[in-house]
Structure formats: C-alpha cells, structure tokens
Amino acid sequence: MYGFKEVTAEQLKEMQEQGQAFTLIDVRSPAEVARGMIGGAKHIPLHLLPMSMAEIDKGSPVVFYCLSGGRSSQACAFAAAQGFGEVFNLRGGISGWANRSFPIV
C-alpha cells in the first residue's frame, strides 16, 4: 500500500507507553489543532509538509494523523516517496483515538 503502513489507536498508545522512539505529526489545520491534539505530536499542516520535510528525522519511524485518516494517508505517501523508511498512518485519525477515550491535550 504506497510504501507505508497503518497503526491503530491501540498500537500507537502502546508505542507511547513503551517509550518507543518515533515522530508523531498532526497534519490538520490550525483551527482543528486548537481543539486538541495527541500528546507529543508536532503540528505540520498538510499543505506545509513539502516545505517542512527537513524538520523530520528520516532515521526514526514517523506516524502521521489527521481527523479521520484521509489527509494523513496523503502525508504518508508523500513521506514514503521522499525516502522515509518507516511511515505509519493512524487508522481513523484523532477521531479513532478519541473514540477509545485516549487523552487529547
């Protein structure tokens, strides 16, 4: 599937709890982010991603998320095309995360 994998909210929560090293990127709009985001995430709106790729560590796994998973899958495909090795899309986005009552900051 386009050079990236999906991760469920449960798997992402487990990655956080185990202290795994990864970069979490929220590609939603500033207005959406103002309503809350997943702890530890870096905000890079999808339209600014091409200009911001140098800020992301290629040597670390990267997890992208948006509201439901559509925009973040675009971000994943772009990152994979740019040579990022371990790229993950949060299945269901922050909505799936919130539906499991996981924390939003």
Side-chain angles (χ1 to χ4, degrees):
M1 180 177 22
Y2 313 116
F4 65 90
K5 303 171 191 159
E6 287 200 328
V7 63
T8 65
E10 292 84 4
Q11 289 169 321
L12 178 60
K13 181 78 168 140
E14 188 175 312
M15 288 167 67
Q16 287 181 327
E17 289 172 349
Q18 292 178 352
Q20 290 185 23
F22 65 93
T23 304
L24 181 61
I25 300 177
D26 186 330
V27 297
R28 297 176 300 149
S29 71
E32 290 173 299
V33 168
R35 290 182 247 152
M37 57 195 302
I38 298 172
K42 178 177 185 166
H43 178 225
I44 303 176
L46 182 61
H47 71 281
L48 296 178
L49 190 62
M51 296 166 276
S52 305
M53 294 306 282
E55 299 173 26
I56 306 168
D57 180 7
K58 274 190 175 181
S60 174
V62 182
V63 179
F64 290 97
Y65 75 91
C66 61
L67 182 64
S68 63
R71 286 172 287 175
S72 53
S73 66
Q74 293 175 33
C76 287
F78 180 76
Q82 298 301 308
F84 283 75
E86 288 189 88
V87 181
F88 300 89
N89 183 39
L90 176 59
R91 185 181 301 148
I94 196 169
S95 295
W97 178 267
N99 287 340
R100 284 154 186 83
S101 299
F102 292 153
I104 294 176
V105 296

